[in-house]
Amino acid sequence: MMERDSRIPSYSAAELRSRFVAFFAARGHAEVPSASLLPAGDATLLFTNSGMVQFKELFSGAETRSYTRAVDYQRCLRVAGKHNDFEEVGRTPRHHTLFEMLGSWSFGDYFKRDAIVWAWEFLTVDLGIPADRLAATIYSDDEEAAAIWLNEIKLPPERLARWGNVAKGDDANFWRMAETGPCGPCSEIHFDRGAELSCGKDCAPDHSEQCPRWLEIWNLVFMQYEQHADGRRTELPFKSVDTGMGLERLASVSQQVLSNYDTDLFVPIHAALRKITGHGAKEFEAQRFSYQVIADHSRAVTFLLADGIRPGNEGRGYVLRRIIRRAVRHGRLLGVERPFLAEVAREVIALMSDAYPYLRDAAAVVIESLEREEAQFARTLDGGSALLATALKPLAKGTTAVGTRADQLPANAPKLDGEVAFKLHDTFGFPIDLTVELAAERGVAVDRVGFDAALAEQRQRSRGGKKAELAEHAATLAQLEEVQRKVGDTEFIGYESLEGSATVKGILAEAGATDRAESGSVRLVVERTPFYAERGGQVGDQGEIVGAQGARIGLVTDTQRPVGAMTLHDVELSAPVALGDSVTLRVDAPRRAATVRNHTATHLLHRAIRIIAGADAKQRGSLVHPEYLRFDYPLDRALTREERDAVEAEVQRAIREDIPVTVAQMTMKEAVAAGADAFFDEKYGESVRTVRMADYSHELCGGTHCRATGEVGSFVITSDRSIGSGLRRIEALSGPVADEFLRSRVKSLEAAADALGLQDAEQLVQKIGQLQAELKDAKRRAREGSGRKADPVALAAAATTVKAGYGVLVTSADVEDLEALKELSLQIRKKMGDGVIALVRPGGSPDLLVTVEGTGAASANAGEIVAAGASACGGRGGGKPNMGQGRGAEGSDAAVALNAMATLLGVKPVSLS
């Protein structure tokens, strides 16, 4: 219990946010809005994990803006990589997945003195926190910071601690965002929560993470260095300041509570959850761990979904799925069997949308996505839990407390086999950390080595070598950043011209930067170029580079912009090239024209989909290629045939109207006010380029476009498919390629009609239906003639007897359709009596049917059993306790579904063949 200090004013979290921004704005800092949780243009990060991510290139000098001082509050997520708090969430009073960082910044403007003085003034004067409750730490040899604290702030020497020695591997008071990038010494400000909370040792600030007395609230980072992938650390072009203060921790100080979870950022979420559980204060305290997990995770998933991330099995989508599923499991621990996360998310949106208005705009998508994902996991949660319970039963020596960590188990704790953990992950969708958490609560460790081996084997089959690719990418990026600092940005002249003269400023060969290259593959940098570098979904231009005498130097195979605004031309040399050479660059005009048509068509498609499928179907990704276009959008179902036709017709209508395409340059604020659409994974500067097609379409876009929509010519959608939970992808063609596609389709239809002896291709559908009926009848006759008809008497006799009068049967049945499968189940039931009957009909998409009668297996739930089987073969299923049905994915193996259901029921599949 922390003793209350009447000298400390109490402020709400909203007031703390606004006071912080106002304080630094009054000192010349530009107010910058929070960036997305998706770090735009940064392949080194899964999520925005600190306030400085959106400013990273300002510290390195690769980017400049109109201001040199900034203030913001940034939503951050730490669940992966170096900054990973996931395992601690809910267990401690201060760890979170999602948190808010209050930040003040100087980019080559002020340095240590102003940063320290203003931080002290904000805390002690603006917020009124007594100076005698604060202390500071500095890096061991930072005498400049020490002098400011001791001589100007007049901090007592005993309240200034020195920590850290990077040379010896101690990174205390030395900050870096990741393995590479800006870094430097720092000075932390700590709040003294009272001697009564002392751990009993030498209680200096930051001496131990376990000591509850000292709470770090503000970190002042003095950016002086650039950390390179090869281990070198060099001086940045100018000295900068990055300060970050966790809003949750500051609120706990101002509101004088020991836990962040007792601040007004979380208390309303707890209240909303208690309405669902019906718990009073006593039950809440007894199960605080689960309440805190759900409160934290509900914030994280709400922001992630609003930022455009959708649950999936890879990357960011998988992290989101892990968080959702951990929250659902803790809901079960609280006794909540029905879906509940969407209700809690509504409270998060109500609580946070004044500070983050985009949450209100995305509310419908957030709620729908959570309802769908929670329902999907609920279908397999019970099945997976049953499998895990069975596997743990012979290992568990007793039940430990909920919240027990794996690292708290004794070294000789029994281990769950890694293959079982992998099966839970692969078949039932259990993230490994959830399995580890569940096992630890029974006193059982998990064989992570075995799990990782099984997972690595699976991933190697699908996408081996990714880690090596990422390491190579990081090393290459560091090299390119050095080149960019030397040669600067590349001017793009390709909006106006497809040809231009320039001087070679940089040559990158396989061995690195060089002054001259004779042959082979190189990357060239010039001061200006007509070549469009890949970005915004549009692929890079191709073409040629010609020397001063008119002879070709090489073919440009790709154009990229990996660092800042420096353009790299990938060139296959046919003649030598050297620094300082004068060259002419020529873009492949027909290829650019095809790309232009597809880019304008992509904008038209975006508008058409939102008209037909709803305003929430906003672009989630795109690829603009000269041969085709690809467009990703959120929708939890396939477009109907009528909707797809309507989208296609709408684009074609806009093309026929020949709408003028106009381009304008404006500030980001002006563009948003004008209603221009911006996209989730793009990085925008202060000044932005907009592409408008009258009142039909208006988007932020740096790509190349037609002068009017009529130049697109033709348009046809070639596919619409799912690429993940709640996310779909359309592929389409435009111009002459679309015309050729349609001609080819007509020829194919005419050829099919000829092959079937039809005079008109329009008769094909009727003829195919007739042939399908004949084939079905032929299969039926063949099955009857071969004696393969399923025998309900034999199947009933083959059931595994669980106890007297109660059997379990899991088998496949080669019958015509689902109705026939139901009829077979009824016939088996007449012969078998009480028990579980689980049937699978093999085929392109296997049908599953489960029925349960009697009480011989009280835990048997038909809906859950069929959900486990369907999920195992990539499909969906569910139902009621006494009956469930489902279907596997197209092309899936019926045996996989059989084995999943049999494993869940503790029997072996029956085969009478």
Side-chain angles (χ1 to χ4, degrees), residues 621-855:
S622 68
L623 175 66
V624 178
H625 190 276
E627 295 177 6
Y628 67 99
L629 66 91
R630 194 174 73 200
F631 183 88
D632 300 341
Y633 64 103
L635 198 65
D636 60 0
R637 59 176 178 81
L639 292 175
T640 65
R641 182 72 248 186
E642 292 75 17
E643 286 175 325
R644 177 170 158 171
D645 290 345
V647 169
E648 197 172 75
E650 176 63 22
V651 174
Q652 292 165 347
R653 183 193 65 78
I655 292 171
R656 288 193 300 274
E657 287 194 5
D658 200 23
I659 304 168
V661 178
T662 57
V663 174
Q665 202 76 22
M666 61 186 71
T667 67
M668 183 67 178
K669 188 175 182 180
E670 290 170 338
V672 171
D677 291 325
F679 304 112
F680 74 105
D681 205 18
E682 287 301 309
K683 184 172 183 178
Y684 301 107
E686 288 182 276
S687 178
V688 295
R689 184 174 182 265
T690 65
V691 175
R692 180 189 284 273
M693 299 168 194
D695 294 330
Y696 191 76
S697 170
H698 190 196
E699 298 186 9
L700 273 63
C701 181
T704 56
H705 284 272
C706 301
R707 290 167 296 185
T709 60
E711 293 181 4
V712 174
S714 300
F715 177 84
V716 60
I717 293 174
T718 58
S719 70
D720 173 38
R721 59 188 175 89
S722 171
I723 56 171
S725 179
L727 196 62
R728 301 196 63 80
R729 172 171 291 168
I730 280 180
E731 293 189 357
L733 309 172
S734 72
V737 180
D739 292 337
E740 180 56 35
F741 174 84
L742 293 172
R743 278 194 296 271
S744 176
R745 281 295 174 94
V746 170
K747 288 179 182 178
S748 295
L749 290 172
E750 290 173 345
D754 289 343
L756 293 172
L758 302 176
Q759 293 183 344
D760 191 339
E762 290 186 3
Q763 298 173 321
L764 273 172
V765 174
Q766 180 182 350
K767 184 66 175 179
I768 290 171
Q770 176 190 331
L771 291 173
Q772 285 177 326
E774 292 174 1
L775 179 61
K776 184 177 180 180
D777 186 57
K779 283 183 176 181
R780 179 185 57 77
R781 291 196 305 271
R783 189 163 40 246
E784 292 172 350
S786 66
R788 287 170 53 207
K789 187 175 181 181
D791 182 356
V793 175
L795 288 172
T800 301
T801 301
V802 176
K803 70 175 189 178
Y806 195 94
V808 175
L809 174 68
V810 181
T811 190
S812 63
D814 188 8
V815 295
E816 295 175 19
D817 52 28
L818 183 59
E819 291 306 312
L821 200 65
K822 291 178 180 179
E823 178 60 29
L824 176 62
S825 179
L826 288 173
Q827 296 302 320
I828 295 172
R829 178 69 65 199
K830 290 177 182 177
K831 304 298 181 182
M832 181 175 132
D834 287 351
V836 180
I837 300 172
L839 304 178
V840 178
R841 185 187 73 86
S845 299
D847 286 314
L848 287 73
L849 178 71
V850 178
T851 62
V852 176
E853 283 193 15
T855 58

Side-chain angles (χ1 to χ4, degrees), residues 134-377:
L134 299 173
T137 66
I138 59 171
Y139 187 65
S140 298
D141 61 2
D142 193 346
E143 299 303 331
E144 181 183 358
I148 298 167
W149 280 115
L150 296 172
N151 301 331
E152 296 192 50
I153 302 300
K154 304 299 183 184
L155 190 71
E158 65 272 16
R159 297 183 84 85
L160 180 67
R162 295 172 183 256
W163 303 105
N165 187 328
V166 174
K168 294 184 178 180
D170 182 0
D171 274 3
N173 284 103
F174 194 90
W175 197 92
R176 65 187 90 204
M177 185 185 71
E179 297 304 317
T180 61
C183 59
C186 62
S187 180
E188 298 172 352
I189 301 177
H190 293 251
F191 177 74
D192 184 355
R193 295 198 283 192
E196 66 275 12
L197 295 175
S198 173
C199 61
K201 301 176 182 178
D202 181 19
C203 241
D206 206 27
H207 76 102
S208 168
E209 287 190 3
Q210 281 68 49
C211 179
R213 175 177 178 179
W214 296 99
L215 179 69
E216 177 196 338
I217 55 174
W218 206 339
N219 192 7
L220 317 178
V221 180
F222 308 122
M223 290 290 183
Q224 295 179 247
Y225 309 110
E226 173 88 4
Q227 180 68 50
H228 300 279
D230 60 8
R232 291 178 303 112
R233 189 179 298 134
T234 57
E235 289 277 345
L236 287 168
F238 47 79
K239 294 179 180 179
S240 300
V241 172
D242 157 12
T243 88
M245 177 161 50
L247 176 62
E248 294 79 7
R249 294 190 181 200
L250 182 61
S252 76
V253 171
S254 179
Q255 296 168 26
Q256 298 195 66
V257 291
L258 284 177
S259 172
N260 295 354
Y261 291 100
D262 290 329
T263 68
D264 65 340
L265 287 163
F266 291 92
V267 169
I269 303 174
H270 294 324
L273 185 54
R274 285 171 61 180
K275 285 183 180 179
I276 296 170
T277 62
H279 287 168
K282 185 177 180 180
E283 293 95 337
F284 169 75
E285 288 299 332
Q287 300 182 81
R288 178 180 271 271
F289 172 49
S290 290
Y291 271 96
Q292 292 182 173
V293 167
I294 295 170
D296 172 274
H297 289 10
S298 63
R299 290 177 9 127
V301 301
T302 299
F303 276 85
L304 284 169
L305 288 165
D307 272 327
I309 302 166
R310 296 293 175 267
N313 294 323
E314 296 287 341
R316 294 171 178 133
Y318 183 61
V319 172
L320 172 57
R321 176 161 283 167
R322 285 172 57 203
I323 299 173
I324 292 173
R325 295 188 170 187
R326 187 170 186 241
V328 171
R329 186 254 167 174
H330 278 274
R332 294 293 179 95
L333 290 178
L334 295 178
V336 184
E337 297 292 329
R338 64 177 178 82
F340 69 95
L341 269 181
E343 293 179 49
V344 182
R346 287 190 178 93
E347 181 60 38
V348 174
I349 293 169
L351 187 63
M352 305 293 284
S353 56
D354 284 345
Y356 300 94
Y358 85 111
L359 292 177
R360 195 179 293 113
D361 298 335
V365 172
V366 170
I367 300 306
E368 289 170 13
S369 298
L370 281 175
E371 289 174 342
R372 182 171 59 251
E373 180 67 15
E374 189 170 0
Q376 180 177 328
F377 185 45

Side-chain angles (χ1 to χ4, degrees), residues 544-684:
E544 65 176 358
I545 296 183
V546 176
Q549 305 305 315
R552 177 187 288 171
I553 291 176
L555 290 175
V556 179
T557 58
D558 195 10
T559 315
Q560 297 285 329
R561 187 185 277 189
V563 178
M566 179 182 72
T567 298
L568 293 179
H569 305 76
D570 291 353
V571 181
E572 292 296 326
L573 290 177
S574 54
V577 64
L579 292 181
D581 283 357
S582 296
V583 295
T584 299
L585 300 98
R586 293 176 184 150
V587 174
D588 181 336
R591 186 178 185 276
R592 166 74 83 82
T595 306
V596 160
R597 283 191 292 269
N598 279 332
H599 204 152
T600 300
T602 300
H603 284 223
L604 296 176
L605 174 61
H606 185 200
R607 176 53 54 193
I609 285 183
R610 294 180 71 186
I611 290 172
I612 304 302
D616 291 330
K618 296 180 180 179
Q619 178 175 325
R620 287 288 179 263
S622 68
L623 175 66
V624 178
H625 190 276
E627 295 177 6
Y628 67 99
L629 66 91
R630 194 174 73 200
F631 183 88
D632 300 341
Y633 64 103
L635 198 65
D636 60 0
R637 59 176 178 81
L639 292 175
T640 65
R641 182 72 248 186
E642 292 75 17
E643 286 175 325
R644 177 170 158 171
D645 290 345
V647 169
E648 197 172 75
E650 176 63 22
V651 174
Q652 292 165 347
R653 183 193 65 78
I655 292 171
R656 288 193 300 274
E657 287 194 5
D658 200 23
I659 304 168
V661 178
T662 57
V663 174
Q665 202 76 22
M666 61 186 71
T667 67
M668 183 67 178
K669 188 175 182 180
E670 290 170 338
V672 171
D677 291 325
F679 304 112
F680 74 105
D681 205 18
E682 287 301 309
K683 184 172 183 178
Y684 301 107

Side-chain angles (χ1 to χ4, degrees), residues 469-491:
E469 291 174 15
L470 289 174
E472 182 181 352
H473 170 77
T476 303
L477 194 62
Q479 181 187 66
L480 293 175
E481 286 172 346
E482 290 187 12
V483 173
Q484 199 271 344
R485 281 195 284 271
K486 291 179 182 177
V487 305
D489 294 340
T490 306
E491 179 189 357

